[in-house]
Amino acid sequence: MSQGTSGEYRRKLIDVTLPLTQISYASIAEKKRSVGTVKNLHKWFAPMPTPALRALIFASLVDDPGQGPERDRLIQLIKDLVPTGGTAPSGDVLRMARELIAKSNPELPIVIDPFAGGGSTIVEALRLGLPAVSSDLNPVAALVTRALGELLPAVALMPAVSKSNDAARMRDMPYDGLGDDLRHYGALVQEAVKERIGHYYPVPPGGEPVAWLWARTAPCSNPMCAVRIPLFGSPWVSKQPGREATVEPLVEGDEVRFIVHQGKNGPAKATKGSGRAQFACPKCSSPLGEKELRALGRSGELGLQLMAYCMDTKSGRTFVSPSADLQQVLDVEVPDDLDELEIGGNTKNFAPPLYGLSRHEDLYTPRQLAMLAAFADEVAEVYDRVIEDGGSLEQARAIATLLGICVSKMAQSNSTLVRWRTRVGPSKTEPAFGTQAMPMLWDFAESYPFGHSRGSWQSQIDGLLYVLRELPRDAKPGRVAQVDARRAGDLVEPGTALIVTDPPYFGQINYADLSDYFYLWLRRALRNVHPDLFGTIATPKSVELVANPARHGGNKEGAQQYFIEGFTEVFTSLQKASRPDLPIVVAYAAKQDDSDGAGAVSSAWVSMLQAVLASGLSVVGTMPIESTVATRQVSQGANALASYIILICRPRQAEEIVDKSGFLARLQEELPEAIEALRKGGVSPLDMGQAAIGPGMRIFSGYKEVLQPDGKPMTVREALIEIDKAATAIIDGEEAEFDAPTRFALKWFRQFAFDRGAYGDADVVLRQTGTAIRDLVEAGIVSNTPRSTVCLLDFDELPANYDPAKDERISHWEVAMHLAKRFNEQGIDGAAQLAAGVRSRTDAAISLDRVNRLVHRLFKVSDRRFQRTAAMFNQLGTAWPDIMTAAQNVTPARYVTDEIDGLFSNVEERLDDDDD
């Protein structure tokens, strides 16, 4: 272990600094990649980006050398570890990283993640050459992580069992042999399934099937009308330019049949109206609402009707009207040995049971049930087949497991939860779980399993091969177990581990209930290969560490207390395993607010931090890492997780007790500098509230107790409220440092944004800020036409050729507005050119640091009220460090013009000389 001469453990790099902007860019890019990432092996819910984990693990193990070139070199190495494209780093970079880890750690620690999820942590630990152990109570998560961290490294570089020599194999890759075997045994599985149930999928001549487009049906509410209403939301089946197509329901007596119209001028009317479940009969126009549909569903009166058939032909994607032979695919014999598995969860996130679809098998058409069961049954035979062909036990487990995962992924693309997505390109199926919920779909797409488009067996095999290309080349197998996180610390010897984990997000995701969707098929395919994971009918739920009120009699307080107590046990257990000189790193994400709080003061954050402190840990720092694109929705009610907030925790050594006034004094003393450092580090305005938790909780947890005036200890919730107040006061108080025009614009913006207001109202603000309307108009800040009104100039009204170097009435407001506009239109390079112009001024009228503070202030003012403005300032604030770096290498336009003018002057002088 690395210790300093004073006996104290040396600080690690993570205790000091990280290149957050680079890590965020890489994390965003990795999430946007559609293939070739760990998350593509199998669906998991809100997985942590692998670039962020790679950087966190490295920075937690490498000693900080102190200020200077050596620290700069380490920061650059972290940047090289997380390429901005979201890809894996080069072999040379990994070798250097491993050497530096070994230099700081003569005995390598074991990396532990007790909430394995999608397996990202163990993959990145193995990539860095570290021994690793992962666990998860959820068998689906444990299986996916076992495949990535245990089974695959064990078969790397092994030759193919199948002795294939496919020209399409992955040349010079460690998983060439495995890739050949997946193709070989996957093809055998498909061949056997097609022989068993292929007749259920009629293939009209002229092309390969892509999908069947279905609508649910319900009897008309009018007793005099015998029509069954097709329940569909849009008539469009293709919006691809030149290949537009719509469907139309035609009423013929008491029957409804669909026809497909080619072109964009076909009839375009659906039966669905406004509202969540509101429909109208195509014959008599009688309404059918949500209440009636629920009753019909519970009585088993919902049906299915084919709307259209899609196939790929030589001329492109084509849509065909239903015919009798296409409709008969509902007459399928359903397997009678499927597990009886009820759909759980709250009805807010799990809607099908409200309509009588209470079991998981109700989420599939009869044909889909027969198809998925057949694939699962054939995969269940693969293990023995590989052994018979001469494969090792490791190869048999790996091949069978990966093909079992393919069955599970097929289920995601082959159920009544699959949408048909129309777009500019060819329409396609959209797999289930675009959100962490199970909605009720009225129209859906059924994929063709034996083709090559999304949802087919072949597409699952191809997706696996892309994943294999991104895995570490020379990783040693880790260890993965299905273990309750409360006991995860017992998986290794005490004092030997680095803890890096991404735990459940309070009550926001119903992990176990969602996982049952996959468990049904994984168990059928793999229960003999992984008996330790699939010994029960469903995933464990009663001991799952989430704050789910439904499991506590609807009691929110009871659910929260269960979460706190559970995580207190988790962190207590992990401390025993943690090596004393290493931090415990927790990546946590929560929505910006919830019904119990606002901003950083939410029940999710209170609960997690309370558990951390109750276990004897302190929060010594936090840092935010962006995980979604910069233009993500920031409007009120956006149901999206915020950026990951990284908690750096160490054992709590506090002995001092302080009163509330002493705590607040330290907040006022230390928070301003901390907030400024966060801004300069590229923390987005959207995340500033949560980022301020770090320095605030570091102060709070540095005391044994903070006493309220009544002598009672301050709670975590009360501390978070005070931290939030202090951070807000710091940001608000900074307005006094701005110039008068900026102070006017801020005051006006709060009330009117970019709308017009009466001049009389403006006159009051003009007097308060000591400004004149004429000066503001000439400065390009406001419009006073007509003269009885005033409004701030919006982004679209700002001149395109603004040059801050020549602006005689420059203000912080004007620079912030133009920077946001320039960044939105031209990116970092355009904004850097403008920033360089500000720096080139000979006066000190404008400070770019103050402009940055104004950007954060403007985001806070506009958030929830003015979505477009908030988004633009959030993007600018996030990119600020990169803009400032780029500006250092820019020659401002004024100087370029001067140089050109000088060149022309020299040319003119020479011409004059020649004339003489």
Side-chain angles (χ1 to χ4, degrees), residues 908-916:
E908 290 171 357
E909 289 175 3
R910 291 194 183 104
L911 288 174
D912 290 340
D913 291 340
D914 291 341
D915 289 340
D916 291 340

Side-chain angles (χ1 to χ4, degrees), residues 600 605 609 619 622 647 688-698 720 723:
W605 274 108
L609 291 170
V619 179
T622 65
L647 305 177
M688 185 58 73
Q690 293 196 63
I693 291 173
M697 286 305 297
R698 177 182 55 78
L720 286 175
I723 293 167

Side-chain angles (χ1 to χ4, degrees), residues 667-698:
L667 285 179
Q668 293 170 4
E669 179 183 355
E670 298 181 25
L671 268 187
E673 183 177 348
I675 288 174
E676 185 64 15
L678 289 170
R679 279 201 196 99
K680 290 181 177 179
V683 175
S684 71
L686 178 63
D687 296 319
M688 185 58 73
Q690 293 196 63
I693 291 173
M697 286 305 297
R698 177 182 55 78

